[in-house]
Amino acid sequence: MKKFFLLISSIIILFQGCTSREKKDDSTMSEKRMVAYLDRGKDLANKAQKALGGQLIEAISKGGVPYAVQFCNIKAIPITDSLSNEVNANIHRVSDRPRNPENQANEHENKYISQAKALLSSGEKVLPSIQRQNDIMVGYYPIITNPLCLQCHGKPNETIANETWDALQKHYPKDKAFGYGPDEIRGIFVVEMPVSAK
Ligand code: HEC
């Protein structure tokens, strides 16, 4: 009789072991799904980059670089916000050295940025990242400078013209986003996507 109880209880323990393992698997996401979110986020970051870049070039050709500073001041955040509404995700730009204090990276984002800088300076490729935070998938996508950016993010008196510098100082008295060279990490796109049921 004792043996019978032992057998039954070990079956129950085994069974519980199985179910709890199944539950655990359910809460951790498959790699395939993670990659799908990483790709979707990348697609959205590219869309945002295109929208911002297109309007930036249009503003520069319409009114020159100082005018484009004023344009970015009013329009940059609304452009990413309206795209966010359209695609049911939250897309924004952050930096460890922001121009607009609203774009200050948080601790987690700063960690990714400093790792990305270290990789880039040792000549390695910077890869985007994806992680789950409760019911949200959060993707980080690096933003790298090119010569165009240096007209507003480069060095005063060198790549930033005086008139542009004055406009920057006027709109952003706490500006930290100058002094960059080409091919440097200027910041990241943060794309937050709700986890779908499947
Ligand atoms: C005409 C000037 C101008 C040019 C050219 C320009 N930017 Fe900016 N950038 C700005 C302004 C102004 C802001 C602040 C926008 C705001 O108030 O949200 C900004 C903000 C940013 C931000 C958000 C973080 C922060 O510092 O507030 C990133 C990232 C960024 N720029 C990257 C770039 C990159 C990459 C390029 C080149 C492809 C570029 N910018 C070209 C003026 C410029």
Side-chain angles (χ1 to χ4, degrees):
M1 197 62 182
K2 229 180 179 181
K3 264 190 184 162
F4 176 73
F5 272 123
L6 254 172
L7 183 67
I8 293 288
S9 51
S10 50
I11 286 172
I12 290 172
I13 288 167
L14 269 176
F15 184 69
Q16 280 176 340
C18 262
T19 50
S20 68
R21 206 173 303 134
E22 267 166 22
K23 259 190 204 144
K24 205 173 158 211
D25 276 350
D26 197 28
S27 66
T28 55
M29 199 176 268
S30 73
E31 205 176 315
K32 207 172 146 202
R33 263 189 96 193
M34 294 284 277
V35 171
Y37 279 110
L38 183 71
D39 287 349
R40 173 154 189 264
K42 190 173 185 179
D43 196 43
L44 295 176
N46 284 341
K47 270 203 175 100
Q49 179 73 67
K50 267 198 190 135
L52 286 163
Q55 300 233 28
L56 174 68
I57 288 171
E58 209 180 300
I60 293 178
S61 58
K62 196 171 140 196
V65 180
Y67 164 76
V69 168
Q70 190 190 328
F71 176 85
C72 289
N73 178 244
I74 301 166
K75 289 282 187 184
I77 291 177
I79 289 170
T80 47
D81 280 356
S82 81
L83 181 64
S84 301
N85 287 339
E86 239 174 71
V87 295
N88 185 33
N90 182 9
I91 307 163
H92 57 279
R93 296 184 303 175
V94 299
S95 176
D96 55 332
R97 284 162 55 189
R99 173 149 286 161
N100 184 335
E102 277 186 49
N103 299 329
Q104 174 67 56
N106 66 26
E107 199 185 328
H108 208 264
E109 294 156 350
N110 268 328
K111 205 168 154 199
Y112 172 87
I113 293 173
S114 62
Q115 283 168 352
K117 280 184 177 170
L119 282 173
L120 206 64
S121 66
S122 61
E124 284 175 65
K125 215 174 159 211
V126 180
L127 296 174
S129 92
I130 188 93
Q131 70 258 208
R132 184 173 184 165
Q133 288 173 11
N134 300 319
D135 288 335
I136 308 231
M137 299 302 294
V138 185
Y140 294 160
Y141 304 88
I143 302 174
I144 315 277
T145 50
N146 66 37
L148 167 79
C149 318
L150 306 187
Q151 295 182 73
C152 295
H153 294 294
K155 298 182 179 71
N157 275 328
E158 289 182 30
T159 54
I160 304 181
N162 287 343
E163 212 188 325
T164 306
W165 181 247
D166 291 344
L168 288 170
Q169 291 283 292
K170 184 178 153 211
H171 292 289
Y172 303 97
K174 292 189 177 147
D175 190 7
K176 294 182 192 160
F178 58 89
Y180 288 85
D183 301 318
E184 288 185 24
I185 298 265
R186 181 60 270 280
I188 57 174
F189 274 107
V190 178
V191 183
E192 297 169 339
M193 297 158 276
V195 174
S196 60
K198 195 177 66 96

